[in-house]
Amino acid sequence: MNTLNDTKNTNFKAKISAIITAGGTSSRFGSNKLLENIEINGVKTSVISATVQKFLPFCDEIIIPCHNDIKEYIETCFKNDKIGFAAFGETRQKSVFNGLLELEKSNNPPDIVLIHDGARPFIEPDTIKQTIEKLKTHKGVCVGVYAVDTIKITDVSGNILKTIDRNTVFQAQTPQGFDFKTILEAHKKLKNENFTDDSSMLEALNIPVFALKGTISNKKITFKEDLTL
């Protein structure tokens, strides 16, 4: 059983699991970006290995929905019984749902679950810690950053229609953290829809989600130039 005492925080006790999505096709990148090499704090590693390593100290269990090549790669990098796998889905939502169902099978399902993009290796440990802390009082937490640029709304032809207040524009990232039973039930109710992130599912069910300010550096690797971070 994980506790935040382990990370020099509070005595909040809960079973904490994570789902790290790794089933994408990397179509905009041109190759499997999760297997690309990066350097973090002077250490060279792959994108997916760096991401998994960030969550291991905080979690009792990590489920990775992915293709067989990623599964085999992870198994060679980590000899850790915390790590398990689930089938990837046609969409991100279906992949996450597969991960949740895998956690549900356990004799001891988690109390909370963190859902994170495998292509976000620059997540700060303190952001993970804060997400877990906020789940003491919230059913859902979405990490992100407020917009710093002026935000314009356009029509399909590119004509600017209006400018909106950037102070209320929150750009969602991951991790997104949830009470496990709440997000599992949301996925079951909305399984025939197509949401691009999990906090949107709670929003659709009128369940409040807390916006936790993260860091700009927590960028999702999408294009090759993103590796220069």
Side-chain angles (χ1 to χ4, degrees):
M1 189 70 66
N2 209 321
T3 75
L4 290 190
N5 277 333
D6 298 338
T7 51
K8 299 180 181 179
N9 204 300
T10 73
N11 59 0
F12 173 49
K13 295 181 179 180
K15 182 177 181 184
I16 302 170
S17 294
I19 295 172
I20 297 178
T21 59
T25 60
S26 300
S27 58
R28 287 175 290 182
F29 192 88
S31 61
N32 194 330
K33 61 189 176 185
L34 298 179
L35 299 178
E36 291 287 330
N37 289 323
I38 57 173
E39 185 172 319
I40 298 180
N41 298 326
V43 177
K44 290 185 178 180
T45 184
S46 67
V47 170
I48 187 62
S49 292
T51 304
V52 172
Q53 189 62 53
K54 292 286 183 72
F55 282 82
L56 278 172
F58 297 92
C59 297
D60 299 286
E61 183 177 17
I62 295 175
I63 297 295
I64 305 174
C66 61
H67 299 266
N68 281 334
D69 59 341
I70 296 293
K71 179 178 183 291
E72 292 171 3
Y73 175 79
I74 291 293
E75 288 175 332
T76 62
C77 294
F78 296 94
K79 306 300 181 184
N80 194 311
D81 58 9
K82 285 186 178 182
I83 298 174
F85 300 91
F88 68 93
E90 297 174 1
T91 63
R92 183 186 185 281
Q93 179 178 327
K94 290 178 180 178
S95 287
V96 172
F97 191 29
N98 288 343
L100 292 169
L101 293 175
E102 196 67 30
L103 291 172
E104 186 186 29
K105 292 178 186 177
S106 168
N107 293 328
N108 182 25
D111 298 294
I112 63 176
V113 59
L114 307 175
I115 301 173
H116 189 68
D117 300 322
R120 288 188 192 269
F122 305 111
I123 179 66
E124 293 289 342
D126 192 57
T127 301
I128 301 173
K129 188 187 302 182
Q130 289 180 46
T131 303
I132 296 169
E133 178 71 16
K134 282 295 180 184
L135 287 167
K136 291 197 301 182
T137 52
H138 297 79
K139 295 289 187 182
V141 175
C142 177
V143 170
V145 292
Y146 284 96
V148 294
D149 297 314
T150 299
I151 305 297
K152 305 281 187 180
I153 302 297
T154 70
D155 61 20
V156 294
S157 300
N159 300 306
I160 293 176
L161 301 179
K162 65 178 179 178
T163 302
I164 61 176
D165 183 3
R166 67 184 178 189
N167 293 316
T168 63
V169 176
F170 190 73
Q171 298 171 251
Q173 301 174 340
T174 63
Q176 295 181 6
F178 304 95
D179 170 78
F180 176 70
K181 292 180 180 178
T182 300
I183 191 63
L184 177 62
E185 186 63 24
H187 268 266
K188 287 180 177 179
K189 287 181 178 179
L190 301 171
K191 65 180 180 180
N192 294 322
E193 305 296 330
N194 187 16
F195 289 86
T196 57
D197 82 324
D198 300 277
S199 66
S200 298
M201 302 178 81
L202 265 62
E203 295 163 31
L205 297 173
N206 296 313
I207 300 172
V209 177
F210 182 81
L212 176 65
K213 187 176 180 182
T215 61
I216 295 175
S217 62
N218 183 25
K219 185 175 178 63
K220 184 178 181 180
I221 293 175
T222 304
F223 304 104
K224 289 190 182 293
E225 52 265 33
D226 296 330
L227 294 173
T228 60
L229 286 171

